[in-house]
Amino acid sequence: MAQRDERHLHPLRQLLPVPLDGIDPVAAHAAAERPAPPDRPWVLVNMVAGVDGATAVSGSSGDLGGEADRVTFSAIRAVADVILAAAGTVRADGYGPPRTPAARRAERVARGQQPYPRIGVVTRSLDLDLASPLFTDSPTRPLVFTGTGAPAERVAAAEAVAEVVRSPGPDVSPAAIVRHLHDLGARTVLVEGGPSLNGAFADADLVDELDLTLAPELVGGDSARLLRGAGELRHPLRLAHLWEADGVLLARYVRARPPGR
């Protein structure tokens, strides 16, 4: 069965910067300016949360945000060269290979990108299902970022199905990740969590954009916040747009100052 073009599946209206009806999330995100710094890719974080800040229901983010988030999530993925997630998020959300529709693949090629984004997984232990479709059915070779603590036999098994990038220490440095991706030619990197990975990128001042879907729900429980970092930080952001559909708010924030300042 042919994949559907999802750009008009859900009505979105823009509240800011100017009111507009009938927003096309695919066209809007494809046209958004993402000027990569000279020495690394542009890094955007995409997350969904309830109004109380909860980022998961029963351990997964899939039940938050509804159709508007799903369509926008797909539109954001379509602009990324690499999609990066921590191993816990990959396991909880059942990550598979990129399913980029034919229309999006054609648009990517026209922009000078590869037809499909690459999936990157960040893991210290290499506790991954290497027989899952993410590794066996992907149209692009997945990337696995790990450190020195990963067991040698797991490293060898992962190298059979993915490109394994090892850091010199037990932890995986966001700076090392973006350097490697820059060397591969990536211009836009999408980070999809979880909160600890988001926090590590924020601590390293490597978040250029936050795309946040706010679902009109009180979730409660002990779900983590959007990011969990080494300490408090205050990185000013600028609201680039705010969309709405059925009470779901979709905001795009970009950094309000140059990196490192």
Side-chain angles (χ1 to χ4, degrees):
M1 180 182 295
Q3 287 179 296
R4 297 179 298 172
D5 187 332
E6 297 184 331
R7 65 172 70 223
H8 297 302
L9 288 184
H10 202 277
L12 287 168
R13 64 188 181 105
Q14 181 168 282
L15 306 179
L16 295 169
V18 293
L20 292 171
D21 289 328
I23 288 293
D24 178 346
V26 172
H29 275 286
E33 292 187 2
R34 294 184 172 93
D39 57 347
R40 66 168 179 83
W42 177 275
V43 177
L44 59 144
V45 174
N46 183 28
M47 292 290 286
V48 59
V51 292
D52 59 352
T55 57
V57 177
S58 300
S60 172
S61 63
D63 289 335
L64 285 168
E67 180 78 354
D69 178 66
R70 186 184 67 79
V71 173
T72 304
F73 171 79
S74 178
I76 293 170
R77 276 188 154 208
V79 304
D81 295 307
V82 177
I83 298 167
L84 197 65
T89 297
V90 168
R91 290 190 295 266
D93 289 348
Y95 269 51
R99 303 294 188 191
T100 310
R104 300 293 81 74
R105 296 199 301 270
E107 291 163 359
R108 290 173 61 87
V109 171
R111 292 195 296 264
Q113 294 180 286
Q114 294 300 311
Y116 292 92
R118 295 183 75 177
I119 303 292
V121 184
V122 182
T123 171
R124 287 190 295 180
S125 65
L126 265 175
D127 180 15
L128 299 169
D129 181 3
L130 299 175
S132 71
L134 172 61
F135 296 100
T136 61
D137 295 342
S138 179
T140 58
R141 191 167 178 83
L143 292 145
V144 174
F145 295 93
T146 192
T148 55
E153 65 275 12
R154 296 295 293 170
V155 173
E159 287 176 335
V161 294
E163 177 185 340
V164 178
V165 182
R166 301 192 73 181
S167 294
D171 295 319
V172 184
S173 160
I177 291 173
V178 297
R179 280 197 302 269
H180 184 81
L181 296 179
H182 178 264
D183 291 343
L184 292 180
R187 298 274 302 166
T188 304
V189 174
L190 168 58
V191 179
E192 294 184 343
S196 293
L197 183 63
N198 297 343
F201 272 81
D203 284 336
D205 195 19
L206 290 173
V207 176
D208 301 299
E209 174 180 347
L210 170 64
D211 289 277
L212 173 63
T213 297
L214 196 62
E217 297 183 47
L218 290 171
V219 177
D222 58 358
S223 174
R225 294 163 53 190
L226 296 176
L227 61 82
R228 182 188 300 114
E232 290 187 357
L233 52 85
R234 298 190 69 178
H235 290 176
L237 302 173
R238 174 178 61 84
L239 181 61
H241 74 226
L242 181 64
W243 301 340
E244 186 272 340
D246 296 334
V248 176
L249 296 176
L250 303 107
R252 177 176 184 254
Y253 296 92
V254 296
R255 65 160 69 237
R257 52 168 174 69
R261 295 187 183 178

